[in-house]
Amino acid sequence: MVFTFATQRVLINFCLPTVLVLIFVVSVFNAGSITAPFQAIKDGASCVSQRPEDQKDHRPSLAYGFGDLMPELFKPIKLPVTAKDFIDQRGNKFVNGGRDYWKEPMGKDILVVDIDTRNPNGENGVFNAKKMDWEKVEAAGSSLLTVAHINHFIYSQIHGYDYKFFHAKKIRNHFDTWIKPHALQRMLHNYKFVVFIDADAIIQHLEVPMEFLFNRWNISPNTSIAMPIDTQQVFEGENNISVDSKGKIVLNSGVVVLQNLPHSHEMMQAWAECTTEKRYPGCGHWKTNWSHEQRAFSEFIRYDFNPDGNNIVEIPCNDANGFPGLVGQASVVDDCKGEFVRHYTLNKGTAKTSTSDALMQSMGELLQKNFANNHRNILIEE
Ligand SMILES: *[C@@H]1O[C@H](CO)[C@@H](O)[C@H](O)[C@H]1NC(C)=O
Ligand SMILES: *[C@@H]1O[C@H](CO)[C@@H](O)[C@H](O)[C@H]1NC(C)=O
Ligand SMILES: *[C@@H]1O[C@H](CO)[C@@H](O)[C@H](O)[C@H]1NC(C)=O
């Protein structure tokens, strides 16, 4: 691999903010010790000079820039992958269902991937060289990607997952979201799991690892794919745009968890080629008609590729679809709050607030723990 100037710039851009955050946090954590901040600078500096070929894992990655910084930073609040439950900031308890399929962190065997035909390289974009003005980032168009990439990337870094942005080519005569099965199939070869999250979907609890959620969602070693159940829209008493022709609610492709199994590759091939109608007469209808690849999966693929009943897993709508306040808008009748991944199919602008809130929620918790631990060093009580 050639270590280009551009790569180096990406490294520096990703590293520097982390170093600054870390110096600040380390200072608070270790108030009273003057050596810690310098150690942090030294550790941080090493990430700038680290080359891809130095890594144990030879898959090229954007993620090498953060190294161990984020896992270290989040250590005090990270949920263990084998945790029996997770309690959120509002006191809601989410259990793992007593399942322990996944007992060890999978690290770089999990890929978090963003896939889009748009490129976040415009004003305030993550791929724009000019300094970003966060206040002016609008969660619309390609700037929506910037908001999502920040959330998805930070999440991948906290848990040591790999991260990629797959900038896809449009597919002729198909709606843009048809790129998903093609791109996902391509990425799946190099990982154990690939987790795709839409540009308008935001991870809410940065400290909760995928492995915990896989257990919670009953994603077993035999599961090929998992997607959340869609929110239903009812117009004039008809829910017919939310269900397939057999009346079963469609799955929403805003969150896709894929496991690298031979069965999965066969399934992805069938999905990606669905509109050729070689295997599925009538699939061509969904090239440009709503809801495109999502409906094609629900109409055809899910009835053909679930021989054991656990090959295709339906994630509860409330966990990974919708957002608080969606119900009642656009005739949506299901109150799915997106407890783990909020999907802003409407009110896309809120994705930015959601990204800020998720990050500040975890930073707030970290700081709160450290104010408590170090109050004797911080507090002057008059
Ligand atoms: C996985 O599939 C194999 C073979 O069909 C079966 O024996 C096993 O019980 C399955 N495991 C789970 C967790 O479903
Ligand atoms: C859904 O039902 C409504 C009311 O019966 C009908 O007008 C519409 O064409 C149907 N849409 C689809 C996609 O079947
Ligand atoms: C989309 O649906 C319309 C109305 O049912 C149909 O006429 C059209 O052929 C469909 N598009 C494709 C690409 O099949």
Side-chain angles (χ1 to χ4, degrees):
M1 155 154 318
V2 185
F3 188 66
T4 61
F5 178 66
T7 324
Q8 203 162 15
R9 277 232 327 234
V10 170
L11 281 175
I12 292 167
N13 288 346
F14 278 128
C15 284
L16 203 55
T18 328
V19 174
L20 296 179
V21 169
L22 202 76
I23 292 168
F24 169 63
V25 174
V26 169
S27 315
V28 178
F29 270 63
N30 297 294
S33 151
I34 53 160
T35 55
F38 296 103
Q39 186 58 39
I41 291 170
K42 200 162 135 278
D43 294 347
S46 69
C47 77
V48 174
S49 61
Q50 187 186 19
R51 286 155 187 257
E53 52 268 39
D54 294 339
Q55 291 185 300
K56 266 190 295 204
D57 184 335
H58 288 287
R59 289 187 292 247
S61 160
L62 275 177
Y64 44 71
F66 271 4
D68 291 334
L69 296 177
M70 295 303 271
E72 277 300 313
L73 179 58
F74 273 74
K75 214 181 232 170
I77 61 166
K78 217 195 286 181
L79 188 75
V81 301
T82 53
K84 295 269 178 281
D85 54 54
F86 166 70
I87 297 171
D88 75 6
Q89 62 270 35
R90 291 171 282 272
N92 299 314
K93 184 170 167 176
F94 302 93
V95 298
N96 78 345
R99 288 176 287 264
D100 61 355
Y101 299 126
W102 313 104
K103 295 190 185 107
E104 299 293 331
M106 285 184 263
K108 295 267 186 284
D109 286 338
I110 297 181
L111 171 71
V112 175
V113 66
D114 286 311
I115 301 171
D116 218 290
T117 53
R118 298 164 291 186
N119 190 346
N121 59 2
E123 184 95 358
N124 296 319
V126 273
F127 283 120
N128 189 309
K130 190 166 155 257
K131 188 192 288 203
M132 171 188 291
D133 183 349
W134 177 253
E135 206 180 331
K136 298 226 163 63
V137 171
E138 283 177 46
S142 72
S143 292
L144 183 60
L145 271 66
T146 287
V147 165
H149 288 195
I150 286 174
N151 175 262
H152 304 168
F153 180 79
I154 287 176
Y155 178 74
S156 74
Q157 293 304 287
I158 291 166
H159 301 284
Y161 307 145
D162 205 353
Y163 173 85
K164 303 266 183 228
F165 167 51
F166 189 110
H167 187 209
K169 278 207 176 78
K170 287 172 179 286
I171 301 173
R172 256 186 59 199
N173 302 329
H174 285 70
F175 192 76
D176 277 349
T177 50
W178 267 107
I179 57 175
K180 289 182 197 178
H182 290 275
L184 283 170
Q185 192 192 9
R186 222 179 111 185
M187 300 317 290
L188 189 58
H189 292 284
N190 295 322
Y191 300 88
K192 183 164 177 56
F193 278 98
V194 172
V195 179
F196 163 81
I197 305 167
D198 258 351
D200 56 359
I202 303 298
I203 297 165
Q204 293 303 297
H205 304 294
L206 297 173
E207 71 277 26
V208 174
M210 275 297 155
E211 294 87 341
F212 169 83
L213 293 173
F214 291 175
N215 283 329
R216 172 175 168 78
W217 293 336
N218 200 13
I219 295 175
S220 85
N222 291 350
T223 300
S224 281
I225 193 167
M227 284 190 268
I229 296 168
D230 208 1
T231 47
Q232 291 182 84
Q233 290 172 281
V234 175
F235 297 101
E236 296 165 5
E238 286 282 351
N239 71 343
N240 56 5
I241 64 161
S242 313
V243 296
D244 65 18
S245 55
K246 297 184 178 73
K248 191 169 155 68
I249 303 179
V250 301
L251 297 178
N252 187 293
S253 61
V255 174
V256 183
V257 177
L258 263 181
Q259 187 172 187
N260 190 350
L261 301 171
H263 182 74
S264 315
H265 289 281
E266 221 184 293
M267 178 191 69
M268 293 307 284
Q269 186 82 20
W271 189 10
E273 292 174 359
C274 188
T275 57
T276 64
E277 301 202 349
K278 279 184 199 137
R279 182 164 179 167
Y280 299 110
C283 190
H285 178 83
W286 307 108
K287 281 181 188 174
T288 51
N289 281 314
W290 178 261
S291 55
H292 323 118
E293 88 297 341
Q294 184 172 293
R295 179 65 181 265
F297 185 91
S298 293
E299 195 67 37
F300 304 104
I301 309 302
R302 68 170 162 185
Y303 292 106
D304 250 9
F305 286 90
N306 199 12
D308 309 314
N310 190 11
N311 310 84
I312 298 176
V313 161
E314 300 190 339
I315 300 171
C317 184
N318 193 46
D319 271 25
N321 201 10
F323 58 89
L326 171 63
V327 65
Q329 292 192 61
S331 303
V332 170
V333 296
D334 295 318
D335 189 11
C336 297
K337 296 191 176 72
E339 296 287 2
F340 290 97
V341 184
R342 287 189 185 173
H343 192 176
Y344 295 96
T345 44
L346 301 172
N347 308 21
K348 288 194 198 291
T350 318
K352 181 183 160 187
T353 321
S354 191
T355 290
S356 302
D357 283 352
L359 191 53
M360 271 318 294
Q361 174 63 35
S362 48
M363 292 308 291
E365 283 179 46
L366 280 168
L367 290 166
Q368 206 178 28
K369 280 196 191 303
N370 286 284
F371 272 77
N373 282 352
N374 295 291
H375 77 275
R376 277 187 304 135
N377 297 316
I378 294 170
L379 183 65
I380 300 164
E381 189 87 70
E382 189 170 30

